[in-house]
Amino acid sequence: MTVRVPQLLLIFVQALAAHEGVHEGRAHRCIHDELHPRVAVRPQRYAELSDRDHEHHALADDRRALATDADDWQPLRIAVDYSSIDNATTLATIQDLVPYATSKLASALRVRPALAPLVVSGERCHEAAVPAAHGVDGVADADFVLYVTADADDGTDDADADVPLAWAVHCEVDQFGRPTAGQVHFHSQYFGLSIETLRSTALHEIVHALAFSSDLLPTFRNGLGDAWAPTTATADARGEAVTVVTTPAVRDAARAHLGCDTLAGAELEDSGGISSAGSHWESRVFGPELMAASIGAAQNSPALSSLTLALFEDSGWYRPDYDVAAPKCFFDASWCAAADGG
């Protein structure tokens, strides 16, 4: 059978589109809970804290001092270290993604600023090399140091491989438990995805390093510096036992978003195995939210909602600006019955 040229052209175009679409249609699978970084404790200097506090963990009165004086809380300053990246093309892309995320977070979050350069312990932050000067002189004008690494694109098509687009962890905390250093890693073979997906993934992962982690949830404290007891509980939803975050701001945000005043809290992801369960909102209830476990092509601009900002607030380390949150309408109110077990 003779195939006409226009048909051949159509077949070629369709095949090319299918090949390109492998990357574009791929969802980012977050593996945060598979990672087990070694975390150091390095006290930092803050206003109105006693000398004994700077030696190690804060005492109750000092934690209360940290929680007062709203005027002393300033926009979060994230210092970014790109020194591990030597590929110019990769670096150019990453220098779009990471500043997008850090500026978004700086506009949304306030912290008690460190009074001195932020000193980072050790030679490595998880897998990232820490410049020697960061452990001696520290990093000036910073509340968190982010070490950025990347795999170079070797030209192979790994779209079907079990490789995430990016991941991030914290590697150091201060005397109050707040992360002060972390690593974000990118797999540059996926840089052909839409810029919206790449930026959202960068933001998603850095939120993990700052607060939203199953390792950090048990260390959250209230406004007076006292530990929540506990931060999660088991509840019934859809006829099954689920884990929910029950801290006040998160509980209230979940109730407001879903219009369910009987919710015990915001449900955490329970599927996806150890890679995503525990450090994400439940996709079936909060699917469009930034901190759901998967970000895909159909979800190029997931929403940073008041729910995730509330989690930052309940950590005790941050004061969020709820004016930057996505509007309530991104949720489907019909989820109320499902989320509430009805």
Side-chain angles (χ1 to χ4, degrees), residues 181-239:
Q183 178 191 3
V184 62
H185 182 82
F186 295 92
H187 292 276
S188 60
Q189 60 263 42
Y190 297 120
F191 283 179
L193 291 168
S194 71
I195 193 65
E196 292 84 1
T197 296
L198 295 174
R199 287 175 173 175
S200 295
T201 300
L203 180 58
H204 172 107
E205 294 301 332
I206 295 170
V207 168
H208 279 312
L210 291 174
F212 203 157
S213 173
S214 57
D215 291 337
L216 292 170
L217 279 171
T219 69
F220 282 10
R221 296 183 178 276
N222 64 23
L224 294 179
D226 299 318
W228 297 111
T231 54
T232 61
T234 300
D236 178 77
R238 302 173 300 277

Side-chain angles (χ1 to χ4, degrees), residues 17-36:
H19 174 76
E20 295 298 325
V22 169
H23 281 303
E24 192 57 40
R26 185 181 192 275
H28 167 55
R29 183 184 69 85
C30 185
I31 64 166
H32 177 75
D33 283 318
E34 291 181 14
L35 306 171
H36 302 287

